[in-house]
Amino acid sequence: MKLNLGCGSERLAGFVNVDKFGTPDQNCDLELTPWPWNTSSVDEIRLHHVLEHLGQSVDIYLKIIQEIYRISTHGARIEITVPHPRHDDFLIDPTHVRPILAESFQLFSRQKCIDWQRRGISNTPLALYLEVDFETEHVSHLLDASWHAQLQAGKMSSSELSVMSQQVNNVIKQTQVVLRVVKNNV
């Protein structure tokens, strides 16, 4: 099974299109857990401009992460696209309740958490606390049009742009992260 969670009006063929509102294939409030899908029953989950709207409360957000893990099969692909939290597209929408950075998903990697503990690094080992395990497979950024034009025109190098993205708003428009689910009991 493949789920397009928070689909809005973007219904995808081959997916069960799910949303709280409208007339998707299945109505579901993703902030209410447990979700209606069976454990280890989903091979792919797509959250396109959805996760930033969910889990204003830390407890609810972490339960959503646990539900994504619970319903996913070993090796399931999780594709998350979010507006970058330092872009006006994130800041202007009052329904955006949670900033999402690609690096935050490292906290849900069992391997990373064990390594951090071994090395005495104080990052919160959420993968261990929540009994989840996601590995980041791919991260990509969509640049704001003006910054993309400067890069294409050779007015900036990729390394200069990387530095700017840490210091200036509106450089990165959105981020896409692809995670893989790791379940050792397979």
Side-chain angles (χ1 to χ4, degrees):
M1 176 186 327
K2 299 193 299 188
L3 296 176
N4 180 19
L5 298 180
C7 67
S9 61
E10 189 179 359
R11 298 170 61 95
L12 298 178
F15 284 76
V16 176
N17 296 285
V18 178
D19 206 297
K20 178 179 177 179
F21 302 107
T23 56
D25 300 326
Q26 187 170 359
N27 285 95
C28 181
D29 183 342
L30 297 173
E31 292 191 312
L32 299 178
T33 58
W35 290 348
W37 303 286
N38 292 332
T39 298
S40 298
S41 64
V42 179
D43 298 312
E44 186 172 345
I45 296 174
R46 181 177 186 265
L47 294 136
H48 185 75
H49 288 276
V50 173
L51 203 52
E52 70 275 11
H53 295 274
L54 302 175
Q56 185 171 14
S57 150
V58 173
D59 288 342
I60 290 173
Y61 180 73
L62 295 179
K63 285 184 189 308
I64 290 167
I65 298 298
Q66 287 178 302
E67 280 300 285
I68 291 170
Y69 186 78
R70 180 188 67 78
I71 67 172
S72 295
T73 60
H74 174 71
R77 181 179 194 269
I78 314 300
E79 182 183 306
I80 299 164
T81 305
V82 292
H84 195 278
R86 288 188 295 271
H87 194 279
D88 288 350
D89 287 355
F90 176 79
L91 298 170
I92 64 172
D93 188 336
T95 68
H96 290 168
V97 299
R98 175 161 300 280
I100 308 286
L101 291 169
E103 295 80 3
S104 64
F105 293 106
Q106 293 179 20
L107 298 168
F108 302 114
S109 163
R110 183 172 175 76
Q111 181 180 352
K112 289 256 189 226
C113 290
I114 290 170
D115 180 55
W116 291 333
Q117 284 184 332
R118 182 184 53 76
R119 296 184 320 159
I121 296 173
S122 62
N123 292 346
T124 307
L126 289 174
L128 305 178
Y129 294 166
L130 301 175
E131 298 181 344
V132 300
D133 195 1
F134 297 93
E135 290 300 324
T136 301
E137 188 172 88
H138 178 75
V139 175
S140 61
H141 300 289
L142 175 67
L143 298 176
D144 189 82
S146 63
W147 291 95
H148 180 73
Q150 289 183 54
L151 181 65
Q152 295 294 50
K155 294 180 181 177
M156 298 192 90
S157 68
S158 293
S159 60
E160 290 171 318
L161 193 61
S162 180
V163 170
M164 292 304 291
S165 73
Q166 297 295 313
Q167 299 173 354
V168 177
N169 286 349
N170 295 314
V171 175
I172 300 173
K173 185 173 181 68
Q174 74 179 20
T175 300
Q176 183 182 64
V177 179
V178 176
L179 304 173
R180 286 285 173 194
V181 173
V182 179
K183 291 191 173 181
N184 292 329
N185 58 354
V186 175

Coordinates of all heavy atoms in Angstrom, one line a residue, residues 1 21 33 44 46 54 59 63 79 83 113-114 131-132 160:
M1 N 0.8 -1.2 0.0 CA 0.0 0.0 0.0 C 0.9 1.2 0.0 O 2.0 1.3 0.6 CB -0.9 0.0 1.2 CG -1.7 1.2 1.4 SD -2.7 1.4 2.9 CE -3.2 -0.2 3.3
F21 N -9.8 16.9 5.4 CA -10.8 17.7 4.7 C -11.1 17.2 3.3 O -10.3 16.5 2.7 CB -10.4 19.2 4.7 CG -10.1 19.7 6.0 CD1 -8.7 20.0 6.4 CD2 -11.1 20.0 7.0 CE1 -8.4 20.5 7.6 CE2 -10.8 20.5 8.2 CZ -9.4 20.8 8.5
T33 N -4.1 9.6 16.9 CA -3.5 8.3 16.8 C -4.2 7.3 17.7 O -4.8 7.7 18.7 CB -2.0 8.4 17.2 OG1 -1.8 8.9 18.5 CG2 -1.2 9.3 16.2
E44 N 5.1 2.8 1.0 CA 5.5 4.2 0.7 C 4.6 5.2 1.3 O 3.3 5.0 1.2 CB 5.6 4.4 -0.9 CG 6.2 5.7 -1.3 CD 6.4 5.7 -2.8 OE1 6.4 4.7 -3.5 OE2 6.6 6.9 -3.3
R46 N 3.9 9.5 1.3 CA 4.2 10.8 0.8 C 3.6 11.9 1.6 O 2.4 11.8 1.9 CB 3.7 10.9 -0.7 CG 4.1 12.2 -1.3 CD 3.6 12.2 -2.8 NE 4.0 13.4 -3.5 CZ 3.2 14.4 -3.7 NH1 2.0 14.5 -3.1 NH2 3.6 15.5 -4.4
L54 N 1.5 19.8 11.1 CA 1.1 18.8 12.2 C 1.9 18.9 13.4 O 3.1 19.2 13.3 CB 1.2 17.4 11.6 CG 0.4 17.1 10.3 CD1 0.7 15.7 9.8 CD2 -1.1 17.3 10.6
D59 N 4.4 16.3 21.9 CA 3.8 14.9 22.1 C 3.1 14.4 20.8 O 3.3 13.3 20.4 CB 2.9 14.9 23.3 CG 3.6 15.0 24.6 OD1 4.8 14.8 24.6 OD2 3.0 15.3 25.6
K63 N 4.2 11.4 18.3 CA 3.3 10.3 18.0 C 3.1 10.1 16.5 O 3.0 8.9 16.1 CB 1.9 10.5 18.7 CG 2.0 10.3 20.2 CD 0.6 10.4 20.8 CE 0.6 10.4 22.4 NZ 1.3 9.3 23.0
E79 N 8.7 10.0 1.8 CA 9.1 11.2 1.1 C 8.4 12.4 1.7 O 7.2 12.5 1.7 CB 8.7 11.2 -0.4 CG 9.1 12.4 -1.2 CD 8.6 12.3 -2.7 OE1 9.0 11.3 -3.3 OE2 7.9 13.2 -3.1
P83 N 8.2 23.5 3.3 CA 8.8 24.8 3.1 C 10.0 25.0 4.0 O 9.9 24.5 5.2 CB 7.7 25.8 3.3 CG 6.8 25.1 4.3 CD 6.9 23.6 4.0
C113 N 21.9 7.8 16.8 CA 21.7 8.0 18.3 C 22.7 7.1 19.1 O 23.3 7.6 20.1 CB 20.3 7.6 18.6 SG 19.1 8.8 18.0
I114 N 22.9 5.9 18.7 CA 23.9 5.0 19.4 C 25.3 5.6 19.2 O 26.0 5.7 20.2 CB 23.8 3.6 18.9 CG1 22.5 3.0 19.3 CG2 25.0 2.8 19.3 CD1 22.2 1.6 18.7
E131 N 11.6 4.2 19.9 CA 11.7 2.9 19.3 C 11.3 3.0 17.8 O 10.5 2.2 17.3 CB 10.9 1.8 20.0 CG 11.4 1.6 21.4 CD 10.6 0.6 22.2 OE1 9.5 0.2 21.8 OE2 11.1 0.1 23.2
V132 N 11.9 3.9 17.1 CA 11.8 4.1 15.7 C 13.2 4.0 15.1 O 14.2 4.2 15.8 CB 11.1 5.4 15.3 CG1 9.7 5.5 15.9 CG2 11.9 6.6 15.7
E160 N 29.3 29.3 -1.7 CA 28.9 30.6 -1.3 C 27.4 30.6 -1.0 O 26.9 31.1 0.0 CB 29.2 31.7 -2.3 CG 30.6 32.0 -2.5 CD 30.9 32.9 -3.7 OE1 30.3 32.7 -4.7 OE2 31.7 33.8 -3.5

